[in-house]
């Protein structure tokens, strides 16, 4: 089924350890069938630009490449954005 290819990509900018990131992932658990979670470790050399940008703000989330939220999961905001994308795909 091609529906799965239309899933939005939720990017989590993280590093280890990151208790807030772990917490965020738990909050996202019930929603995870609605997006593809992609984690970006900002401490890796190839991600240094993200490190410079987000080192004091993780977790940071982008949805389909656009900034969505930081520090903690805003379920309402995520829900609104996912709904918009899902309606757009129908």
């Amino acid at each position: 089924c091609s529906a799965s290819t239309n899933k939005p990509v939720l990017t989590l900018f993280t590093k280890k350890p990151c208790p807030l990131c772990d917490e965020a992932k738990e909050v996202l658990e019930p929603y995870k069938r609605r997006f593809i979670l992609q984690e970006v470790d900002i401490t890796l050399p190839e991600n240094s630009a993200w490190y410079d940008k987000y080192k004091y703000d993780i977790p940071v989330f982008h949805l389909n490449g656009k900034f969505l939220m930081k520090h903690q999961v805003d379920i309402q905001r995520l829900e609104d954005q996912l709904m918009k994308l899902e309606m757009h795909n129908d």
Side-chain angles (χ1 to χ4, degrees), residues 4-67:
S4 63
T5 57
N6 278 340
K7 274 189 192 173
V9 175
L10 185 67
T11 308
L12 163 60
F13 293 90
T14 183
K15 66 180 184 189
K16 292 185 174 36
C18 176
L20 285 175
C21 302
D22 297 338
E23 210 172 286
K25 282 190 278 188
E26 277 174 37
V27 174
L28 290 169
E29 192 66 28
Y31 298 89
K32 72 173 192 223
R33 60 181 175 70
R34 294 173 63 191
F35 55 78
I36 295 158
L37 184 65
Q38 179 187 11
E39 292 188 43
V40 174
D41 184 338
I42 63 170
T43 62
L44 297 176
E46 65 268 26
N47 297 328
S48 61
W50 293 117
Y51 180 81
D52 293 341
K53 192 169 182 176
Y54 291 144
K55 59 186 166 203
Y56 302 120
D57 288 322
I58 61 164
V60 176
F61 293 93
H62 284 194
L63 189 60
N64 282 354
K66 291 197 197 95
F67 175 82

